Amino acid sequence: DALAGTDLAALAAGARSELPTLRVEEKGGVAVTLHWREDPAVGQAATEWARAAAARHGLAAVAGRMAIELRPDVPVDKGSAVRELVLGAPGAVRDPGSALRAVVVAGDDLGDLPAFDAAAALVSEGHLEAAVRIGVRSAEAPDDLAERVDLVVAGPHGLSQALGVLARALGR
């Protein structure tokens, strides 16, 4: 089990029982996310419940946009995922001709900040020629989103428009 012996179904059932207005999302045996967008008043109680459950089960409680995720306490986030996509898995053999030269990273919540930072670091380290970091504005976006990106767009529609412009500029 990805949760190192934690009964994921029981954890999710406990959250549903104790906080019935939450939306509880089970993520394929890897994590449980508690969402309170539909009932913002329960956010504090959900956060406290999740942190206590994380401590009992040796999990990480990772804050998101009107949500908190319980997952294994391992050093993996969207930033490490971006690094691995660009550089390859540790020890992997890559065809030098298949190396990425640029990336576009877009996001709208706390979990996306490490991806923006990783993209910038990969450019400064010389692994990429360019990275375009697009922040998607929303009511729940982190306060420092604008400082961590190259462009801020208004919602998913704005992201779609920005990606369309970029694709046309690249002749795609």
Side-chain angles (χ1 to χ4, degrees):
D1 183 11
L3 293 179
T6 299
D7 183 346
L8 183 62
L11 191 64
R16 288 184 183 104
S17 172
E18 293 183 43
L19 300 159
T21 60
L22 281 180
R23 181 168 54 90
V24 179
E25 177 185 10
E26 295 181 51
K27 294 185 169 182
V30 177
V32 173
T33 302
L34 312 178
H35 300 269
W36 55 84
R37 177 180 306 281
E38 295 85 10
D39 184 6
V42 76
Q44 181 66 32
T47 299
E48 291 170 6
W49 187 94
R51 288 187 177 142
R56 281 192 311 275
H57 297 285
L59 302 172
V62 181
R65 191 171 78 174
M66 298 188 83
I68 191 162
E69 183 174 85
L70 295 165
R71 65 182 186 205
D73 193 11
V74 295
V76 175
D77 60 20
K78 291 180 182 178
S80 59
V82 167
R83 288 191 74 81
E84 189 167 315
L85 286 169
V86 172
L87 301 174
V93 177
R94 258 193 140 149
D95 173 9
S98 70
L100 294 174
R101 294 185 355 211
V103 296
V104 175
V105 179
D108 65 349
D109 67 27
L110 285 171
D112 298 314
L113 297 180
F116 296 141
D117 295 344
L122 287 162
V123 171
S124 69
E125 294 164 7
H127 299 292
L128 290 172
E129 292 176 24
V132 178
R133 301 166 301 157
I134 305 173
V136 181
R137 189 176 25 245
S138 72
E140 300 86 17
D143 293 337
D144 62 343
L145 180 70
E147 291 116 39
R148 307 279 275 278
V149 299
D150 304 303
L151 171 68
V152 176
V153 297
H157 181 70
L159 177 60
S160 176
Q161 289 179 318
L163 293 174
V165 168
L166 184 58
R168 285 189 297 280
L170 296 172
R172 308 272 182 217

